[in-house]
Amino acid sequence: MTGFYHVCFVVPDIEQAMRDFRRSAGVEWSDPVSDRMGEWDYRIVFSRGGSRGSSKGGPPFIELITGPAGSPWDASEGARFDHIGFWSSDVTQSSRRLEKEGMPVDFSGCPYGRPFAYHRMDSIGARIEFVDVSRQAAFLSGWHPDGDPMPAVDEIPRG
């Protein structure tokens, strides 16, 4: 199994969630970023990785995200655990495989030029996210500049 690289919480107040994680567990944070996808403005931040006493940090990361009502990150009903994220060698193949396994697509960023997809995993009451590994260099550059490459779920069929 390839390890996950982040867990995500949808939160109504990113700054408060960052403070609470910092006070309770010593989590350090990058600076939050505002962005837009389709019709939705959202804010996102990742932990710097590691924990209290860790010098380099790294995966797994904690992601906090907030978005407006009706968005994939709707926080209007309060904070919640939203998803666990994995890199994929091919997000389209990962999505096909999960759909065959009975885990339907809940939201895909692909039509918006963002190669990721969330799938419902009812057994955990949350989503699983696959992000195409082609985005890993940009992730590392923005969120973990000195970080090492992370493994991806290999979706390439073997003959």
Side-chain angles (χ1 to χ4, degrees):
M1 180 188 112
T2 299
F4 65 95
Y5 78 98
H6 78 272
V7 296
C8 178
F9 297 88
V10 167
V11 297
D13 184 335
I14 281 183
E15 284 77 11
Q16 182 64 53
M18 290 168 65
R19 282 191 300 274
D20 288 348
F21 266 114
R22 188 176 294 118
R23 286 193 332 236
S24 66
V27 176
E28 296 296 324
W29 297 95
S30 299
D31 293 327
V33 172
S34 295
D35 204 350
R36 183 172 183 85
M37 182 182 305
E39 63 193 63
W40 306 297
D41 292 317
Y42 65 94
R43 293 186 68 217
I44 186 172
V45 67
F46 282 88
S47 63
R48 289 195 184 141
S51 59
R52 195 180 292 272
S54 172
S55 60
K56 185 177 179 190
F61 299 93
I62 300 169
E63 175 187 15
L64 304 175
I65 191 167
T66 190
S71 74
W73 317 283
D74 182 345
S76 62
E77 294 184 24
R80 68 177 186 277
F81 171 66
D82 188 69
H83 67 265
I84 185 167
F86 293 83
W87 294 108
S88 170
S89 66
D90 185 323
V91 75
T92 301
Q93 290 299 326
S94 291
S95 283
R96 285 185 189 137
R97 181 174 55 79
L98 290 181
E99 285 182 302
K100 287 179 186 174
E101 295 293 329
M103 295 174 233
V105 173
D106 191 61
F107 178 78
S108 176
C110 297
Y112 301 94
R114 312 273 179 97
F116 74 90
Y118 298 133
H119 288 258
R120 290 290 326 148
M121 187 181 282
D122 292 334
S123 63
I124 65 168
R127 303 187 283 191
I128 185 169
E129 177 187 31
F130 280 102
V131 181
D132 201 279
V133 74
S134 66
R135 296 294 304 149
Q136 192 175 121
F139 175 88
L140 290 170
S141 175
W143 298 108
H144 193 52
D146 296 324
D148 295 326
M150 295 167 274
V153 173
D154 187 0
E155 295 290 352
I156 299 170
R158 306 280 179 227

